mmCIF file of all heavy atoms in Angstrom:
data_model
loop_
_atom_site.group_PDB
_atom_site.id
_atom_site.type_symbol
_atom_site.label_atom_id
_atom_site.label_comp_id
_atom_site.label_asym_id
_atom_site.label_seq_id
_atom_site.Cartn_x
_atom_site.Cartn_y
_atom_site.Cartn_z
ATOM 1 N N CYS A 252 105.400 122.670 164.627
ATOM 2 C CA CYS A 252 105.236 123.329 163.305
ATOM 3 C C CYS A 252 106.018 124.616 163.230
ATOM 4 O O CYS A 252 106.618 124.941 162.201
ATOM 5 C CB CYS A 252 103.799 123.630 162.972
ATOM 6 S SG CYS A 252 102.835 122.124 162.612
ATOM 7 N N LEU A 338 112.460 112.546 174.060
ATOM 8 C CA LEU A 338 111.521 112.761 175.192
ATOM 9 C C LEU A 338 111.048 114.222 175.229
ATOM 10 O O LEU A 338 111.778 115.143 174.799
ATOM 11 C CB LEU A 338 112.288 112.463 176.469
ATOM 12 C CG LEU A 338 112.664 111.003 176.725
ATOM 13 C CD1 LEU A 338 113.456 110.849 178.043
ATOM 14 C CD2 LEU A 338 111.435 110.072 176.735
ATOM 15 N N ARG A 385 113.280 91.888 116.383
ATOM 16 C CA ARG A 385 113.561 90.480 116.497
ATOM 17 C C ARG A 385 115.085 90.207 116.620
ATOM 18 O O ARG A 385 115.641 89.291 116.039
ATOM 19 C CB ARG A 385 113.061 89.763 115.233
ATOM 20 C CG ARG A 385 111.575 89.553 115.211
ATOM 21 C CD ARG A 385 111.177 88.303 115.952
ATOM 22 N NE ARG A 385 109.701 88.185 116.017
ATOM 23 C CZ ARG A 385 108.978 87.569 115.079
ATOM 24 N NH1 ARG A 385 109.587 87.110 113.994
ATOM 25 N NH2 ARG A 385 107.672 87.460 115.210
ATOM 26 N N GLU A 425 108.059 114.754 125.587
ATOM 27 C CA GLU A 425 106.662 115.031 125.658
ATOM 28 C C GLU A 425 105.778 113.778 125.812
ATOM 29 O O GLU A 425 104.813 113.745 126.517
ATOM 30 C CB GLU A 425 106.190 115.852 124.456
ATOM 31 C CG GLU A 425 106.814 117.269 124.412
ATOM 32 C CD GLU A 425 106.375 118.031 123.183
ATOM 33 O OE1 GLU A 425 105.521 117.562 122.447
ATOM 34 O OE2 GLU A 425 106.865 119.186 123.063
ATOM 35 N N LEU A 448 100.897 100.321 122.642
ATOM 36 C CA LEU A 448 99.574 100.442 123.214
ATOM 37 C C LEU A 448 99.071 99.093 123.652
ATOM 38 O O LEU A 448 98.998 98.172 122.846
ATOM 39 C CB LEU A 448 98.579 101.073 122.197
ATOM 40 C CG LEU A 448 98.953 102.478 121.618
ATOM 41 C CD1 LEU A 448 97.985 102.877 120.577
ATOM 42 C CD2 LEU A 448 98.946 103.499 122.776
ATOM 43 N N ARG A 457 93.422 109.096 122.323
ATOM 44 C CA ARG A 457 92.879 110.443 122.283
ATOM 45 C C ARG A 457 94.008 111.472 122.485
ATOM 46 O O ARG A 457 94.105 112.437 121.775
ATOM 47 C CB ARG A 457 91.836 110.569 123.396
ATOM 48 C CG ARG A 457 91.133 111.937 123.387
ATOM 49 C CD ARG A 457 89.935 111.996 124.311
ATOM 50 N NE ARG A 457 90.269 111.572 125.690
ATOM 51 C CZ ARG A 457 89.968 110.397 126.228
ATOM 52 N NH1 ARG A 457 89.311 109.516 125.573
ATOM 53 N NH2 ARG A 457 90.285 110.164 127.535
ATOM 54 N N TYR A 495 103.123 106.455 103.551
ATOM 55 C CA TYR A 495 101.992 106.983 102.709
ATOM 56 C C TYR A 495 101.570 108.379 103.156
ATOM 57 O O TYR A 495 100.499 108.861 102.733
ATOM 58 C CB TYR A 495 100.818 106.044 102.752
ATOM 59 C CG TYR A 495 101.033 104.777 101.933
ATOM 60 C CD1 TYR A 495 101.459 103.621 102.580
ATOM 61 C CD2 TYR A 495 100.853 104.720 100.589
ATOM 62 C CE1 TYR A 495 101.695 102.439 101.851
ATOM 63 C CE2 TYR A 495 101.098 103.559 99.842
ATOM 64 C CZ TYR A 495 101.529 102.412 100.490
ATOM 65 O OH TYR A 495 101.687 101.275 99.762
ATOM 66 N N ASP A 549 90.546 114.953 90.239
ATOM 67 C CA ASP A 549 90.176 113.533 89.913
ATOM 68 C C ASP A 549 91.444 112.709 89.765
ATOM 69 O O ASP A 549 91.529 111.548 90.228
ATOM 70 C CB ASP A 549 89.333 113.457 88.649
ATOM 71 C CG ASP A 549 87.945 114.004 88.840
ATOM 72 O OD1 ASP A 549 87.470 114.086 90.010
ATOM 73 O OD2 ASP A 549 87.265 114.276 87.854
ATOM 74 N N LEU A 579 98.905 120.297 73.151
ATOM 75 C CA LEU A 579 98.497 121.628 72.828
ATOM 76 C C LEU A 579 99.332 122.209 71.703
ATOM 77 O O LEU A 579 98.835 122.779 70.768
ATOM 78 C CB LEU A 579 98.579 122.534 74.006
ATOM 79 C CG LEU A 579 97.569 122.345 75.156
ATOM 80 C CD1 LEU A 579 97.931 123.196 76.371
ATOM 81 C CD2 LEU A 579 96.149 122.608 74.676
ATOM 82 N N VAL A 580 100.668 121.977 71.817
ATOM 83 C CA VAL A 580 101.597 122.490 70.787
ATOM 84 C C VAL A 580 101.447 121.717 69.481
ATOM 85 O O VAL A 580 101.552 122.335 68.416
ATOM 86 C CB VAL A 580 103.059 122.395 71.346
ATOM 87 C CG1 VAL A 580 104.034 122.762 70.223
ATOM 88 C CG2 VAL A 580 103.207 123.364 72.525
ATOM 89 N N LYS A 585 101.787 127.514 67.271
ATOM 90 C CA LYS A 585 101.895 128.901 67.682
ATOM 91 C C LYS A 585 101.861 129.055 69.207
ATOM 92 O O LYS A 585 102.370 129.997 69.776
ATOM 93 C CB LYS A 585 100.787 129.755 67.068
ATOM 94 C CG LYS A 585 100.863 129.861 65.569
ATOM 95 C CD LYS A 585 99.675 130.647 65.009
ATOM 96 C CE LYS A 585 99.750 130.744 63.467
ATOM 97 N NZ LYS A 585 98.584 131.487 62.918
ATOM 98 N N SER A 628 91.803 137.987 74.510
ATOM 99 C CA SER A 628 90.696 137.461 73.669
ATOM 100 C C SER A 628 89.385 137.547 74.378
ATOM 101 O O SER A 628 89.263 137.342 75.570
ATOM 102 C CB SER A 628 91.067 135.994 73.307
ATOM 103 O OG SER A 628 89.937 135.402 72.651
ATOM 104 N N GLU A 638 87.553 126.496 67.429
ATOM 105 C CA GLU A 638 89.003 126.352 67.546
ATOM 106 C C GLU A 638 89.401 124.952 68.009
ATOM 107 O O GLU A 638 90.307 124.351 67.504
ATOM 108 C CB GLU A 638 89.536 127.400 68.545
ATOM 109 C CG GLU A 638 91.031 127.285 68.735
ATOM 110 C CD GLU A 638 91.573 128.206 69.812
ATOM 111 O OE1 GLU A 638 90.795 128.990 70.445
ATOM 112 O OE2 GLU A 638 92.797 128.122 70.135
ATOM 113 N N ASP A 711 86.414 102.598 55.853
ATOM 114 C CA ASP A 711 85.219 102.618 54.958
ATOM 115 C C ASP A 711 84.333 103.803 55.258
ATOM 116 O O ASP A 711 83.742 104.429 54.349
ATOM 117 C CB ASP A 711 84.444 101.353 55.057
ATOM 118 C CG ASP A 711 85.181 100.114 54.516
ATOM 119 O OD1 ASP A 711 86.058 100.356 53.566
ATOM 120 O OD2 ASP A 711 84.944 99.021 54.974
ATOM 121 N N GLY A 722 82.861 114.585 46.682
ATOM 122 C CA GLY A 722 82.237 114.121 45.422
ATOM 123 C C GLY A 722 82.992 112.943 44.776
ATOM 124 O O GLY A 722 82.397 112.274 43.875
#
Side-chain angles (χ1 to χ4, degrees):
C252 288
L338 295 176
R385 285 276 176 85
E425 293 180 4
L448 300 175
R457 184 169 58 255
Y495 288 97
D549 289 342
L579 290 172
V580 172
K585 294 178 182 178
S628 172
E638 180 186 356
D711 291 333

